[in-house]
Amino acid sequence: MKYFKMVVLALAFVSCHAQNKGVIVKKELFNDFSKLPIYAKLTEEENGKRVWKKTYQYIDSIEVHNIQYLSDGLKVNGLLITPKYLSKAPCVIFNRGGNQDFGALNIMAALRLGKLAKEGYVVIASQYRGNAGGEGKEEFGGKDVNDVLQLITVLAEEKIADTSRIGMYGWSRGGMMTYRALTNTNKIKAAVVGGALADMEATIKDRPEMGTKLLPELVPNFKGNEAAEIKKRSAIQWVEKFSKEVPILLLHGNSDWRVKPEQSLRMALAFTEHRIPYRLIMFEGADHGISEFRQEVDEAVVSWFNKYLKEEATLPNMEYHGM
């Protein structure tokens, strides 16, 4: 928590402007990384000057914006990361994991998303209502799903955004948000989920505090409506609602204790039954964030979006076929 607050306080954003029309209330460009406490870790000394380490040289090719936008009349905060040298680019909506301050989008999250932006994507993400100074209260997969869907409208106000080519990418709780969003819009062309929560009932069995503390705290009227609210947050119970026109990449570590790998395995079997186009990659011995295979994960994500957003590949033939 202390580190998160330090990072938030360190974000000296400039070029702030209010929008009189549309859903974007505020958009601020962050352009002074030297003020960050982590700046020394991102740079090295060369000929008497601080320069980006090779891993972070891509930062010069992106722009990071803090945004505030309207969702259900609430002012919600988020991030917008764009490639500097393109006039038009496909888009990816990223759905963060965690809840409240845990998993909130800080500058390191922005830089990780910047790796996708530097590949030629407009990347946008919500903190969800009630978080990072936003109005309202998050519902862990309730009305805050509207905050995700509203990003489609936000993108429409950005000249660089090609809104005919939008992908969605969610991790953990963000995977659950992605599943919910995919069944409530036809604007998404391809999706990626990592360590995705797909069965809230199973999660509660593995982590009882989810049902005794987190959901009662965040979900309105949870007491007395447990079954309905759990189902709402369990994609495994409504797989038939998914479009056969949206290919989904599932990523999971098989040593993940937060969201057991069985959840993605069961989703893959259900997608197979309903002939939803998907690919499942299970990473051996990997944790919830698949931190042991981060480069492979990044490559798989970029490859998936390149295929279906940039190259606009034909959807796979999901009819049983062959010799």
Side-chain angles (χ1 to χ4, degrees):
M1 175 69 74
K2 183 178 180 181
Y3 175 74
F4 173 77
K5 288 181 178 178
M6 283 179 61
V7 172
V8 171
L9 289 172
L11 295 182
F13 287 96
V14 298
S15 301
C16 172
H17 66 275
Q19 305 274 332
N20 294 321
K21 297 180 180 179
V23 299
I24 300 177
V25 177
K26 186 167 56 176
K27 177 181 174 183
E28 304 165 327
L29 174 66
F30 178 68
N31 68 351
D32 192 353
F33 290 92
S34 66
K35 294 183 179 180
L36 296 176
I38 59 170
Y39 182 69
K41 295 182 179 180
L42 307 179
T43 59
E44 59 190 3
E45 194 81 17
E46 186 177 289
N47 298 324
K49 295 176 63 176
R50 298 300 299 182
V51 298
W52 297 117
K53 292 180 180 178
K54 186 176 181 180
T55 305
Y56 299 103
Q57 288 175 0
Y58 70 89
I59 293 174
D60 285 333
S61 69
I62 62 171
E63 290 185 341
V64 178
H65 294 87
N66 187 30
I67 61 170
Q68 187 174 82
Y69 64 100
L70 296 174
S71 177
D72 293 337
L74 300 170
K75 293 178 180 177
V76 179
N77 294 323
L79 291 174
L80 175 69
I81 305 102
T82 58
K84 281 184 179 179
Y85 307 111
L86 293 176
S87 58
K88 210 73 171 175
C91 311
V92 173
I93 294 171
F94 178 77
N95 298 324
R96 52 159 282 208
N99 63 89
Q100 302 173 94
D101 284 347
F102 178 68
L105 299 167
N106 56 26
I107 191 62
M108 288 308 297
L111 294 183
R112 285 194 295 271
L113 294 176
K115 291 183 179 180
L116 183 56
K118 64 104 170 172
E119 297 293 335
Y121 291 94
V122 175
V123 183
I124 194 168
S126 179
Q127 298 277 19
Y128 311 135
R129 62 188 58 187
N131 297 329
E135 295 178 344
K137 182 180 179 182
E138 74 153 288
E139 299 182 6
F140 204 77
K143 290 182 180 178
D144 45 9
V145 174
N146 293 341
D147 304 342
V148 171
L149 295 171
Q150 184 71 335
L151 292 177
I152 298 172
T153 303
V154 173
L155 287 169
E157 296 183 10
E158 290 294 318
K159 291 182 179 180
I160 191 176
D162 181 351
T163 54
S164 69
R165 296 182 291 165
I166 303 177
M168 189 170 285
Y169 178 19
W171 206 278
S172 190
R173 173 264 182 94
M176 179 258 289
M177 302 289 278
T178 299
Y179 285 146
R180 289 213 63 201
L182 289 177
T183 60
N184 283 280
T185 181
N186 61 0
K187 302 293 186 182
I188 306 302
K189 302 301 181 185
V192 179
V193 293
L197 197 166
D199 187 340
M200 183 62 77
E201 187 173 1
T203 298
I204 291 172
K205 287 180 181 178
D206 291 331
R207 301 168 60 191
E209 72 278 5
M210 296 284 287
T212 58
K213 295 181 180 180
L214 188 136
L215 294 179
E217 176 187 350
L218 297 181
V219 178
N221 304 312
F222 182 72
K223 295 290 187 180
N225 297 290
E226 290 92 342
E229 296 299 338
I230 286 172
K231 180 178 180 179
K232 189 185 298 181
R233 294 159 176 81
S234 301
I236 194 65
Q237 296 193 44
W238 30 266
V239 176
E240 72 281 355
K241 293 184 178 181
F242 284 86
S243 170
K244 292 180 171 62
E245 305 297 314
V246 181
I248 304 173
L249 174 63
L250 296 88
L251 309 169
H252 219 121
N254 65 10
S255 293
D256 181 356
W257 68 268
R258 288 186 179 276
V259 180
K260 293 291 181 61
E262 289 86 346
Q263 295 203 26
S264 286
L265 290 168
R266 291 172 57 211
M267 284 299 289
L269 289 172
F271 284 152
T272 298
E273 179 183 353
H274 291 277
R275 313 314 296 154
I276 309 298
Y278 77 92
R279 179 177 296 178
L280 170 65
I281 305 177
M282 195 65 68
F283 292 85
E284 68 278 10
D287 61 15
H288 184 55
I290 316 184
S291 60
E292 298 89 342
F293 299 93
R294 185 159 291 172
Q295 183 175 343
E296 288 185 40
V297 167
D298 290 345
E299 290 172 355
V301 171
V302 170
S303 176
W304 193 259
F305 286 134
N306 282 351
K307 181 176 182 178
Y308 291 109
L309 297 183
K310 287 187 178 180
E311 300 164 16
E312 299 185 83
T314 303
L315 289 170
N317 178 9
M318 294 303 293
E319 295 297 325
Y320 291 108
H321 61 281
M323 298 295 291

